[in-house]
Amino acid sequence: MRDDSPNEHLHLMEIDLTREEARRRAEVIAALGEDWDPIAVLEGEEEAYRRLYSGLDEEQRAIYRQLREAGVLPPREGDENAAD
């Protein structure tokens, strides 16, 4: 008797994503090189964010608050003053 079910030609395949993710992360760190300073990068990002949202006029601050409250802009430490 022949089995004509739709699953007849399916094969089980397993991939160890944990191992692949560890390999991918190791490649990323290697590509960054020895001179990469994550602390300096984060400090630079914080400074850029502060500058981007500094010096806003009242209308821009209102829009900034609306975007923050709507979840479009992520909450950040000291966010109350970010748009000042």
Side-chain angles (χ1 to χ4, degrees):
M1 183 170 175
R2 188 173 156 178
D3 182 12
D4 289 331
S5 69
N7 296 332
E8 176 184 353
H9 302 290
L10 297 179
H11 300 282
L12 180 63
M13 184 170 127
E14 293 183 19
I15 299 173
D16 182 359
L17 295 177
T18 304
R19 186 171 142 190
E20 286 301 311
E21 179 62 10
R23 184 197 62 75
R24 185 194 68 78
R25 288 181 182 195
E27 293 294 332
V28 167
I29 297 299
L32 290 171
E34 294 178 16
D35 296 337
W36 182 64
D37 182 359
I39 303 290
V41 170
L42 289 174
E43 289 172 349
E45 287 179 3
E46 288 299 320
E47 177 64 15
Y49 183 87
R50 188 187 64 73
R51 286 183 180 192
L52 179 63
Y53 294 109
S54 67
L56 302 179
D57 63 29
E58 189 55 41
E59 181 182 1
Q60 292 167 328
R61 279 195 288 269
I63 293 170
Y64 175 86
R65 282 190 294 275
Q66 288 174 351
L67 292 173
R68 191 180 62 210
E69 290 167 4
V72 174
L73 294 175
R76 301 174 72 88
E77 187 176 319
D79 222 9
E80 316 72 54
N81 301 321
D84 294 335

